[in-house]
Every structure is written in structure tokens, then in C-alpha cells.
Amino acid sequence: MSRDGKVVTMSQESQPATALAEAAATAGHAPSVHNTQPWSWRVLPDALELRSVADRQLAASDPEGRLLAVSCGAALHHARVALAAQGWRAVVRRRPDPDDSALLARLTDLSRVPADPEAMRLVQCMRVRHTDRRPVSDEPVPISALDQITRAVTGEGGRLHILDRDQVLELAATAGQAHAVEAEDPELRAELAYWTSRADAGTGLTAEVLPEQPAQTTVPGRDFGRPGSLPIGPGHDQAAAYAMLHGDEDGPDSWLRAGEALSAGWLTATRLGVSVVPLSAVVEVPGTRQTLRQLLSGIGFPYLVLRLGIADPAHAGPPHTPRLTTAQVVDTSAVR
């Protein structure tokens, strides 16, 4: 079944092009910065191409395209997992054309393999995964869960550094500094206002997923410039774990891989009942991104900070963010 609810028969599933189209549709569940969904897919008879969409890049806060590439990498991992769940193996060629920077990946050379049970479970996690910005409960994240999430990230070539208490306090100060810098930038404020006022547009952050007031937490959340309607309750983040997704390089290839690692870690967290909230403001500001690198002792480049926690079970969480339709992001004209 596709993201739009279309039932696919077993005979159809045996066709590579249909499997690729279904994988691209399923990838629409992937997380992206401000829910920009900055990707598009082109289905060919024997390949699937992933492209970035410049119109959905955050020109003010992400001029280098770091967060765009991370977002697209998450979609790429979603598509790979969806293929594995259907019983297909594909060769992934990342950034296959040096002269076409928008072409991020091509999945080719499909072959039949047994359906992967773990991939099938992760596809189910894609459908329920969401970002819950409420304060977490007082229940700490089990060490075993952090270990599994870390292994999932590592399995995709990324690294996850769990911050100790002193580093969390430094992160809190760094996040506050990043928010102060962005609050003084009119272009950044205008960009944020745009992506938080796109009701019924299929992208962006609706009021229902944004806190109605700032939470009293150690690490401040982003000020979206307007209150949402999500009740936050009396909780705190004292039981949360904070982690830094990072790697050895800081270029387009590594950003794409970081997105794949993010997806793997987030889906694993969802399977384990762990809430994930990405904190991107601290990597958007050059000065605070450098501070994060110092937390890594200068041996890695930070891509994203994650808050990991157990959601408060006493209050209903936010709805899912809106999504573009499959027809808007998946081009199947070459196989019709």
C-alpha cells in the first residue's frame, strides 16, 4: 500500500518500476527541516533518481544546503528501507553526476531478495514517527535504547555523541546564543514566518505541532516567532538525553550520508518508544556550530543536535505534519 492509500497487488509488486514508485512514495514520510520536504523523485524503468528542490531550500538559515542534504538523505534511507521491505536490493550511487549538483542519488540494478523483516518493521515506524516538541517525561531513556540508536546511526556511516551533563549545559548556552543571533536577523525571521504559516500547503509547520508557550527546559527550544496550539504541560527535559550527530567531513556527500544515518537512528528510536526532536538552530549559526565542534574536541563536524526522551504518556502528542502528495514529489511519467 502506498502513502496515499493505493493498494498494490502482488503482481504489480513484482515489477521493478512499481517497487521504485512505491519506495519513493513511502519516502515522503521522512523528516525534514521545517517540514520543507526538499526532495523530488523520478521513476525510470530500471532506476530511481533523487533530486533536491531549490525552491524548498532555506536560503537564509541554510545557504550552504547542509540541512537540505540531511533532509534528502533521510528520504533516501526511507526509500532504501522501503525497497528492502518489499524484497528488493538496489545499488545506490550517491551524487552520480558531478555536473548535476541537484541529482543526489540514483538507485539502480534492482534484484530480488527475501523481504527484510526488520525493514518491514521500520516501514511501520515511518508511518507513526513524528516530532513531539513537548517536554519529555521524568523517565530516562534506557542505556540499551541509546546503544541501539547509536548502532543504527553508525551502521549508516554516521556518528552519535551522547553529551554528558556539563556538555548539556554548554549546549544550553550555545542554543540560547544561536536563538539570539537568529532573532536579530530579519531574513531569518521572515523565512521562519513563511514556513510556519503554510496551512493546507502540504509543507511547513502548522500551529498544532508548535508549543503554545516556551517550555521551562535546560536547553531552550527554537522560538518560532509565533505561538502554536500544542499544550506543553508542566514537564522539563531533565530526563532527556542530548546527542550530536556528526562525522569526519563537512561537505555535500557527508551531509547526505548524515541524513541517512539520522533516518536510521530516528526509526530505531521510534521502534523503541523514544521521542526525537532535532535541534538545528545551533548548526545554522556559524559561530555556534564551531562551539559544537569544540565539544567534539575538534575531531568531527556537527550536523545536527538531537533531544532523546520518553514522551509524556499522560497527554496526547501532536498530529503529524502535513505532507505533499505523491503526485507532487514522484514523477512516474517515464514508466506510464
Side-chain angles (χ1 to χ4, degrees), residues 31-121:
S32 58
V33 58
H34 297 348
N35 191 35
T36 49
Q37 302 166 61
W39 51 70
S40 68
W41 299 92
R42 184 177 181 224
V43 182
L44 302 172
D46 57 355
L48 177 63
E49 293 184 340
L50 169 64
R51 290 182 171 274
S52 60
V53 179
D55 290 346
R56 296 200 288 275
Q57 180 176 348
L58 302 177
S61 58
D62 186 34
E64 295 177 306
R66 178 182 288 101
L67 295 174
L68 176 145
V70 169
S71 300
C72 290
L76 174 58
H77 180 263
H78 271 45
R80 290 171 46 213
V81 171
L83 283 173
Q86 295 183 60
W88 292 95
R89 178 188 292 127
V91 174
V92 182
R93 294 184 170 88
R94 296 166 182 84
R95 299 180 58 83
D97 186 350
D99 296 325
D100 187 354
S101 60
L103 180 58
L104 300 182
R106 182 180 293 123
L107 287 75
T108 62
D109 301 328
L110 262 69
S111 59
R112 267 301 195 182
V113 294
D116 184 338
E118 176 62 15
M120 296 170 70
R121 286 189 285 269

Side-chain angles (χ1 to χ4, degrees), residues 182-270:
E182 295 198 332
E184 295 298 320
D185 190 318
E187 291 185 359
L188 288 171
R189 293 200 307 270
E191 184 175 77
L192 197 57
Y194 176 81
W195 289 103
T196 56
S197 61
R198 296 179 57 74
D200 302 322
T203 57
L205 302 172
T206 58
E208 293 80 8
V209 304
L210 299 179
E212 62 182 3
Q213 63 188 42
Q216 300 301 309
T217 56
T218 302
V219 179
R222 185 192 288 273
D223 179 1
F224 287 93
R226 66 181 67 195
S229 59
L230 177 66
I232 64 168
H236 203 272
D237 65 345
Q238 291 179 348
Y242 285 87
M244 197 185 315
L245 176 65
H246 66 100
D248 295 333
E249 304 293 337
D250 192 29
D253 292 340
S254 60
W255 303 337
L256 187 68
R257 292 274 192 173
E260 294 177 83
L262 171 66
S263 170
W266 201 331
L267 292 177
T268 299
T270 301

Side-chain angles (χ1 to χ4, degrees), residues 264-322:
W266 201 331
L267 292 177
T268 299
T270 301
R271 178 172 59 80
L272 297 171
V274 176
S275 169
V276 178
V277 176
L279 306 177
S280 60
V282 286
V283 298
E284 294 167 5
V285 177
T288 56
R289 188 168 64 247
Q290 182 60 31
T291 300
L292 293 183
R293 193 173 182 214
Q294 292 171 2
L295 287 179
L296 297 170
S297 300
I299 61 174
F301 294 90
Y303 306 132
L304 205 59
V305 173
L306 306 176
R307 188 198 76 179
L308 306 171
I310 306 299
D312 185 354
H315 299 86
H320 288 78
T321 50

